[in-house]
Amino acid sequence: MIFPETTTVTTSYTTYDSPLGELLLVGEESATAAGGTALTALALALPQQRGVTVQPHWRRDPAPFGEVVRQLSAYFAGKLTRFELEFRTNGSEFQERVWQALEAIPYGTTTSYGRLADVLGVARSEVRALGAAIGANPLLIVRPCHRVIGADGTMRGYAAGVEAKIALLTHEGALQPTLI
C-alpha cells in the first residue's frame, strides 16, 4: 500500500509590544509571503482574548515576523494606513467573505453593521451572524474589525475590548480624543 506524502506546515509565533499592550502574532510557512510566513492570527496576548492560544507544537521565533512588525510599527507611528501582508485564515465561506470586506473599510473611517450587511448583500435578519463573523476575526488591527460600530455611533464589542477599539479609532482619527 502506498501512502500519500504528508506535508507538515510549521507554525511560528512571537509577541510584539504595541501601544495597546502585548500582541500575539501567529503565522504559517508560506513561499509567497514576505519573511516566509503568512499571518494566521494577531491578537492581544491577554487571557480574555478568545480563540488564540499558543499550542505546544508551535515554534517561538520572531524572525519570520519582521515584515509584520515593520508594518505594525509604521501603523502605530501614524505612517501606514493599509497593511500589505499575506493572510491565511480558516473561517467558513461566510466568515472569509466578511473578513475580506473589512479590508475595504478605509483608514480613519467607520461603518455600521447594517451598512456592511448592505455591502455584502446580507439580509437585515442576518446582521447577528455578520456580527458574530466580525467578532471571530482572527486578525485584529490588520483586518480592521474595529472600524465597525453601531448605527447610533456606539462602540459595540471588540475581541480586544472596547477600550482598545476606542484607542484604535482615536489613533486613526475616526474619533476625537476625549479630555479628562
Side-chain angles (χ1 to χ4, degrees):
M1 179 176 224
I2 299 175
F3 293 99
E5 190 174 312
T6 59
T7 306
T8 304
V9 175
T10 300
T11 300
S12 300
Y13 75 97
T14 194
T15 56
Y16 169 77
D17 289 324
S18 81
L20 297 178
E22 188 177 55
L23 298 176
L24 174 65
L25 311 176
V26 182
E28 293 179 351
E29 287 179 311
S30 170
T32 57
T37 298
L39 194 61
T40 59
L42 190 156
L44 269 178
L46 297 172
Q48 71 261 29
Q49 174 77 47
R50 63 184 184 273
V52 183
T53 304
V54 173
Q55 301 298 309
H57 64 279
W58 292 359
R59 180 185 69 192
R60 185 176 186 106
D61 184 3
F65 298 97
E67 182 60 17
V68 177
V69 167
R70 186 192 71 74
Q71 289 189 37
L72 283 169
S73 296
Y75 169 81
F76 285 116
K79 298 176 180 176
L80 183 91
T81 60
R82 183 164 178 80
F83 292 92
E84 298 292 334
L85 298 167
E86 183 177 318
F87 306 136
R88 189 174 294 159
T89 52
N90 294 313
S92 69
E93 184 179 319
F94 179 72
Q95 287 173 321
E96 293 290 344
R97 196 164 62 99
V98 170
W99 298 340
Q100 288 174 356
L102 295 173
E103 294 176 48
I105 305 168
Y107 179 93
T109 67
T110 60
T111 194
S112 69
Y113 292 89
R115 283 190 298 232
L116 188 58
D118 290 343
V119 166
L120 290 167
V122 173
R124 291 294 173 144
S125 61
E126 298 298 317
V127 171
R128 281 188 176 214
L130 176 80
I134 292 168
N137 172 24
L139 296 168
L140 298 185
I141 305 168
V142 298
R143 278 203 167 147
C145 52
H146 60 276
R147 296 180 189 153
V148 184
I149 63 173
D152 60 358
T154 56
M155 299 298 118
R156 305 282 185 207
Y158 184 59
V162 172
E163 297 80 19
K165 183 175 194 163
I166 291 169
L168 290 168
L169 292 174
T170 302
H171 168 73
E172 293 181 3
L175 292 178
Q176 295 301 311
T178 57
L179 300 176
I180 296 179

mmCIF file of all heavy atoms in Angstrom, residues 108-142:
data_model
loop_
_atom_site.group_PDB
_atom_site.id
_atom_site.type_symbol
_atom_site.label_atom_id
_atom_site.label_comp_id
_atom_site.label_asym_id
_atom_site.label_seq_id
_atom_site.Cartn_x
_atom_site.Cartn_y
_atom_site.Cartn_z
ATOM 1 N N GLY A 108 -9.294 55.603 9.093
ATOM 2 C CA GLY A 108 -9.837 56.876 9.552
ATOM 3 C C GLY A 108 -11.341 56.997 9.390
ATOM 4 O O GLY A 108 -11.891 58.078 9.598
ATOM 5 N N THR A 109 -12.009 55.905 9.005
ATOM 6 C CA THR A 109 -13.460 55.935 8.852
ATOM 7 C C THR A 109 -14.065 54.778 9.637
ATOM 8 O O THR A 109 -13.356 53.875 10.080
ATOM 9 C CB THR A 109 -13.898 55.803 7.384
ATOM 10 O OG1 THR A 109 -13.557 54.490 6.902
ATOM 11 C CG2 THR A 109 -13.238 56.855 6.500
ATOM 12 N N THR A 110 -15.371 54.829 9.772
ATOM 13 C CA THR A 110 -16.102 53.727 10.374
ATOM 14 C C THR A 110 -17.291 53.398 9.483
ATOM 15 O O THR A 110 -17.666 54.176 8.614
ATOM 16 C CB THR A 110 -16.627 54.082 11.786
ATOM 17 O OG1 THR A 110 -17.506 55.212 11.686
ATOM 18 C CG2 THR A 110 -15.489 54.373 12.742
ATOM 19 N N THR A 111 -17.848 52.249 9.710
ATOM 20 C CA THR A 111 -19.097 51.851 9.078
ATOM 21 C C THR A 111 -19.931 51.150 10.127
ATOM 22 O O THR A 111 -19.418 50.750 11.169
ATOM 23 C CB THR A 111 -18.855 50.958 7.838
ATOM 24 O OG1 THR A 111 -20.083 50.874 7.090
ATOM 25 C CG2 THR A 111 -18.389 49.568 8.217
ATOM 26 N N SER A 112 -21.209 50.999 9.848
ATOM 27 C CA SER A 112 -22.082 50.309 10.789
ATOM 28 C C SER A 112 -22.269 48.862 10.348
ATOM 29 O O SER A 112 -22.001 48.510 9.196
ATOM 30 C CB SER A 112 -23.444 51.001 10.861
ATOM 31 O OG SER A 112 -24.140 50.817 9.636
ATOM 32 N N TYR A 113 -22.741 48.069 11.264
ATOM 33 C CA TYR A 113 -23.040 46.675 10.945
ATOM 34 C C TYR A 113 -24.075 46.610 9.821
ATOM 35 O O TYR A 113 -23.951 45.802 8.900
ATOM 36 C CB TYR A 113 -23.553 45.936 12.196
ATOM 37 C CG TYR A 113 -22.496 45.771 13.253
ATOM 38 C CD1 TYR A 113 -22.299 46.744 14.237
ATOM 39 C CD2 TYR A 113 -21.690 44.641 13.274
ATOM 40 C CE1 TYR A 113 -21.328 46.587 15.207
ATOM 41 C CE2 TYR A 113 -20.712 44.478 14.246
ATOM 42 C CZ TYR A 113 -20.536 45.459 15.206
ATOM 43 O OH TYR A 113 -19.566 45.305 16.154
ATOM 44 N N GLY A 114 -25.073 47.475 9.870
ATOM 45 C CA GLY A 114 -26.115 47.498 8.842
ATOM 46 C C GLY A 114 -25.572 47.868 7.472
ATOM 47 O O GLY A 114 -25.934 47.254 6.464
ATOM 48 N N ARG A 115 -24.709 48.879 7.421
ATOM 49 C CA ARG A 115 -24.127 49.270 6.128
ATOM 50 C C ARG A 115 -23.246 48.164 5.579
ATOM 51 O O ARG A 115 -23.242 47.897 4.377
ATOM 52 C CB ARG A 115 -23.341 50.574 6.257
ATOM 53 C CG ARG A 115 -24.245 51.791 6.322
ATOM 54 C CD ARG A 115 -23.447 53.072 6.203
ATOM 55 N NE ARG A 115 -22.517 53.155 7.326
ATOM 56 C CZ ARG A 115 -22.410 54.187 8.136
ATOM 57 N NH1 ARG A 115 -23.143 55.244 7.952
ATOM 58 N NH2 ARG A 115 -21.547 54.173 9.122
ATOM 59 N N LEU A 116 -22.484 47.500 6.440
ATOM 60 C CA LEU A 116 -21.642 46.394 5.985
ATOM 61 C C LEU A 116 -22.517 45.247 5.475
ATOM 62 O O LEU A 116 -22.199 44.619 4.463
ATOM 63 C CB LEU A 116 -20.717 45.928 7.107
ATOM 64 C CG LEU A 116 -19.641 44.912 6.726
ATOM 65 C CD1 LEU A 116 -18.731 45.450 5.625
ATOM 66 C CD2 LEU A 116 -18.816 44.526 7.944
ATOM 67 N N ALA A 117 -23.635 45.008 6.159
ATOM 68 C CA ALA A 117 -24.575 43.977 5.699
ATOM 69 C C ALA A 117 -25.092 44.322 4.301
ATOM 70 O O ALA A 117 -25.177 43.446 3.435
ATOM 71 C CB ALA A 117 -25.739 43.838 6.686
ATOM 72 N N ASP A 118 -25.412 45.590 4.079
ATOM 73 C CA ASP A 118 -25.878 46.017 2.750
ATOM 74 C C ASP A 118 -24.817 45.771 1.687
ATOM 75 O O ASP A 118 -25.118 45.262 0.609
ATOM 76 C CB ASP A 118 -26.266 47.502 2.766
ATOM 77 C CG ASP A 118 -27.537 47.778 3.555
ATOM 78 O OD1 ASP A 118 -28.303 46.829 3.825
ATOM 79 O OD2 ASP A 118 -27.747 48.962 3.909
ATOM 80 N N VAL A 119 -23.578 46.127 1.983
ATOM 81 C CA VAL A 119 -22.470 45.934 1.040
ATOM 82 C C VAL A 119 -22.321 44.465 0.677
ATOM 83 O O VAL A 119 -22.082 44.113 -0.473
ATOM 84 C CB VAL A 119 -21.149 46.488 1.628
ATOM 85 C CG1 VAL A 119 -19.942 46.016 0.845
ATOM 86 C CG2 VAL A 119 -21.188 48.009 1.691
ATOM 87 N N LEU A 120 -22.477 43.599 1.664
ATOM 88 C CA LEU A 120 -22.299 42.159 1.457
ATOM 89 C C LEU A 120 -23.564 41.463 0.964
ATOM 90 O O LEU A 120 -23.532 40.264 0.669
ATOM 91 C CB LEU A 120 -21.834 41.495 2.756
ATOM 92 C CG LEU A 120 -20.410 41.835 3.179
ATOM 93 C CD1 LEU A 120 -20.158 41.389 4.611
ATOM 94 C CD2 LEU A 120 -19.413 41.199 2.233
ATOM 95 N N GLY A 121 -24.679 42.198 0.907
ATOM 96 C CA GLY A 121 -25.927 41.575 0.494
ATOM 97 C C GLY A 121 -26.500 40.644 1.540
ATOM 98 O O GLY A 121 -27.182 39.676 1.218
ATOM 99 N N VAL A 122 -26.236 40.956 2.802
ATOM 100 C CA VAL A 122 -26.726 40.145 3.915
ATOM 101 C C VAL A 122 -28.054 40.737 4.381
ATOM 102 O O VAL A 122 -28.151 41.944 4.621
ATOM 103 C CB VAL A 122 -25.699 40.134 5.079
ATOM 104 C CG1 VAL A 122 -26.252 39.444 6.302
ATOM 105 C CG2 VAL A 122 -24.404 39.490 4.627
ATOM 106 N N ALA A 123 -29.071 39.901 4.504
ATOM 107 C CA ALA A 123 -30.380 40.356 4.959
ATOM 108 C C ALA A 123 -30.281 40.942 6.362
ATOM 109 O O ALA A 123 -29.479 40.477 7.181
ATOM 110 C CB ALA A 123 -31.370 39.187 4.949
ATOM 111 N N ARG A 124 -31.094 41.948 6.636
ATOM 112 C CA ARG A 124 -31.083 42.575 7.968
ATOM 113 C C ARG A 124 -31.336 41.556 9.075
ATOM 114 O O ARG A 124 -30.844 41.697 10.177
ATOM 115 C CB ARG A 124 -32.116 43.706 8.041
ATOM 116 C CG ARG A 124 -31.774 44.924 7.200
ATOM 117 C CD ARG A 124 -30.539 45.596 7.747
ATOM 118 N NE ARG A 124 -30.109 46.653 6.844
ATOM 119 C CZ ARG A 124 -29.596 47.784 7.239
ATOM 120 N NH1 ARG A 124 -29.424 48.019 8.516
ATOM 121 N NH2 ARG A 124 -29.212 48.678 6.359
ATOM 122 N N SER A 125 -32.081 40.521 8.746
ATOM 123 C CA SER A 125 -32.354 39.479 9.740
ATOM 124 C C SER A 125 -31.103 38.664 10.084
ATOM 125 O O SER A 125 -31.082 37.930 11.065
ATOM 126 C CB SER A 125 -33.465 38.555 9.243
ATOM 127 O OG SER A 125 -33.062 37.914 8.048
ATOM 128 N N GLU A 126 -30.054 38.805 9.267
ATOM 129 C CA GLU A 126 -28.811 38.057 9.485
ATOM 130 C C GLU A 126 -27.673 38.928 10.029
ATOM 131 O O GLU A 126 -26.517 38.513 10.022
ATOM 132 C CB GLU A 126 -28.371 37.401 8.169
ATOM 133 C CG GLU A 126 -29.368 36.400 7.613
ATOM 134 C CD GLU A 126 -29.594 35.234 8.567
ATOM 135 O OE1 GLU A 126 -28.611 34.721 9.144
ATOM 136 O OE2 GLU A 126 -30.760 34.848 8.744
ATOM 137 N N VAL A 127 -28.006 40.136 10.479
ATOM 138 C CA VAL A 127 -26.963 41.040 10.983
ATOM 139 C C VAL A 127 -26.256 40.442 12.199
ATOM 140 O O VAL A 127 -25.062 40.644 12.383
ATOM 141 C CB VAL A 127 -27.526 42.449 11.261
ATOM 142 C CG1 VAL A 127 -26.518 43.318 11.989
ATOM 143 C CG2 VAL A 127 -27.929 43.116 9.949
ATOM 144 N N ARG A 128 -26.967 39.644 12.998
ATOM 145 C CA ARG A 128 -26.303 38.994 14.141
ATOM 146 C C ARG A 128 -25.219 38.033 13.667
ATOM 147 O O ARG A 128 -24.156 37.941 14.269
ATOM 148 C CB ARG A 128 -27.310 38.257 15.011
ATOM 149 C CG ARG A 128 -28.054 39.180 15.915
ATOM 150 C CD ARG A 128 -28.903 38.394 16.883
ATOM 151 N NE ARG A 128 -29.525 39.331 17.790
ATOM 152 C CZ ARG A 128 -29.776 39.093 19.047
ATOM 153 N NH1 ARG A 128 -29.467 37.909 19.553
ATOM 154 N NH2 ARG A 128 -30.324 39.982 19.801
ATOM 155 N N ALA A 129 -25.494 37.307 12.594
ATOM 156 C CA ALA A 129 -24.485 36.394 12.034
ATOM 157 C C ALA A 129 -23.291 37.196 11.528
ATOM 158 O O ALA A 129 -22.140 36.780 11.686
ATOM 159 C CB ALA A 129 -25.085 35.556 10.905
ATOM 160 N N LEU A 130 -23.562 38.350 10.944
ATOM 161 C CA LEU A 130 -22.493 39.239 10.492
ATOM 162 C C LEU A 130 -21.654 39.686 11.688
ATOM 163 O O LEU A 130 -20.428 39.639 11.650
ATOM 164 C CB LEU A 130 -23.090 40.446 9.766
ATOM 165 C CG LEU A 130 -22.096 41.503 9.325
ATOM 166 C CD1 LEU A 130 -21.418 41.078 8.040
ATOM 167 C CD2 LEU A 130 -22.802 42.830 9.136
ATOM 168 N N GLY A 131 -22.319 40.085 12.765
ATOM 169 C CA GLY A 131 -21.611 40.497 13.978
ATOM 170 C C GLY A 131 -20.772 39.374 14.554
ATOM 171 O O GLY A 131 -19.647 39.598 15.012
ATOM 172 N N ALA A 132 -21.303 38.164 14.521
ATOM 173 C CA ALA A 132 -20.547 37.013 15.022
ATOM 174 C C ALA A 132 -19.312 36.759 14.164
ATOM 175 O O ALA A 132 -18.234 36.444 14.690
ATOM 176 C CB ALA A 132 -21.432 35.768 15.063
ATOM 177 N N ALA A 133 -19.453 36.901 12.847
ATOM 178 C CA ALA A 133 -18.302 36.717 11.954
ATOM 179 C C ALA A 133 -17.243 37.783 12.219
ATOM 180 O O ALA A 133 -16.047 37.483 12.273
ATOM 181 C CB ALA A 133 -18.749 36.751 10.494
ATOM 182 N N ILE A 134 -17.679 39.012 12.414
ATOM 183 C CA ILE A 134 -16.735 40.091 12.722
ATOM 184 C C ILE A 134 -16.029 39.787 14.042
ATOM 185 O O ILE A 134 -14.813 39.931 14.159
ATOM 186 C CB ILE A 134 -17.447 41.455 12.760
ATOM 187 C CG1 ILE A 134 -17.928 41.836 11.356
ATOM 188 C CG2 ILE A 134 -16.532 42.538 13.334
ATOM 189 C CD1 ILE A 134 -18.881 43.018 11.324
ATOM 190 N N GLY A 135 -16.778 39.337 15.031
ATOM 191 C CA GLY A 135 -16.213 39.006 16.336
ATOM 192 C C GLY A 135 -15.227 37.855 16.300
ATOM 193 O O GLY A 135 -14.377 37.729 17.170
ATOM 194 N N ALA A 136 -15.336 37.008 15.277
ATOM 195 C CA ALA A 136 -14.435 35.861 15.148
ATOM 196 C C ALA A 136 -13.198 36.175 14.307
ATOM 197 O O ALA A 136 -12.362 35.296 14.085
ATOM 198 C CB ALA A 136 -15.187 34.678 14.525
ATOM 199 N N ASN A 137 -13.067 37.416 13.859
ATOM 200 C CA ASN A 137 -11.916 37.823 13.053
ATOM 201 C C ASN A 137 -10.615 37.512 13.803
ATOM 202 O O ASN A 137 -10.379 38.049 14.876
ATOM 203 C CB ASN A 137 -12.014 39.326 12.759
ATOM 204 C CG ASN A 137 -10.789 39.883 12.088
ATOM 205 O OD1 ASN A 137 -10.029 39.173 11.430
ATOM 206 N ND2 ASN A 137 -10.579 41.180 12.253
ATOM 207 N N PRO A 138 -9.757 36.658 13.244
ATOM 208 C CA PRO A 138 -8.525 36.303 13.947
ATOM 209 C C PRO A 138 -7.381 37.297 13.742
ATOM 210 O O PRO A 138 -6.310 37.118 14.311
ATOM 211 C CB PRO A 138 -8.165 34.946 13.334
ATOM 212 C CG PRO A 138 -8.692 35.035 11.935
ATOM 213 C CD PRO A 138 -9.954 35.853 12.036
ATOM 214 N N LEU A 139 -7.610 38.320 12.927
ATOM 215 C CA LEU A 139 -6.530 39.239 12.579
ATOM 216 C C LEU A 139 -6.869 40.670 12.995
ATOM 217 O O LEU A 139 -7.130 41.544 12.158
ATOM 218 C CB LEU A 139 -6.255 39.171 11.069
ATOM 219 C CG LEU A 139 -5.740 37.823 10.571
ATOM 220 C CD1 LEU A 139 -5.786 37.757 9.055
ATOM 221 C CD2 LEU A 139 -4.327 37.571 11.071
ATOM 222 N N LEU A 140 -6.874 40.892 14.304
ATOM 223 C CA LEU A 140 -7.170 42.226 14.799
ATOM 224 C C LEU A 140 -6.208 43.245 14.202
ATOM 225 O O LEU A 140 -5.082 42.914 13.855
ATOM 226 C CB LEU A 140 -7.064 42.254 16.327
ATOM 227 C CG LEU A 140 -8.027 41.357 17.082
ATOM 228 C CD1 LEU A 140 -7.875 41.585 18.582
ATOM 229 C CD2 LEU A 140 -9.456 41.591 16.664
ATOM 230 N N ILE A 141 -6.675 44.431 14.072
ATOM 231 C CA ILE A 141 -5.933 45.583 13.568
ATOM 232 C C ILE A 141 -5.705 45.476 12.064
ATOM 233 O O ILE A 141 -6.100 46.371 11.322
ATOM 234 C CB ILE A 141 -4.600 45.842 14.305
ATOM 235 C CG1 ILE A 141 -4.849 45.988 15.808
ATOM 236 C CG2 ILE A 141 -3.898 47.079 13.752
ATOM 237 C CD1 ILE A 141 -3.588 45.959 16.656
ATOM 238 N N VAL A 142 -5.080 44.396 11.576
ATOM 239 C CA VAL A 142 -4.748 44.320 10.152
ATOM 240 C C VAL A 142 -5.970 44.045 9.274
ATOM 241 O O VAL A 142 -6.000 44.438 8.113
ATOM 242 C CB VAL A 142 -3.622 43.302 9.854
ATOM 243 C CG1 VAL A 142 -2.334 43.718 10.555
ATOM 244 C CG2 VAL A 142 -3.999 41.890 10.236
#
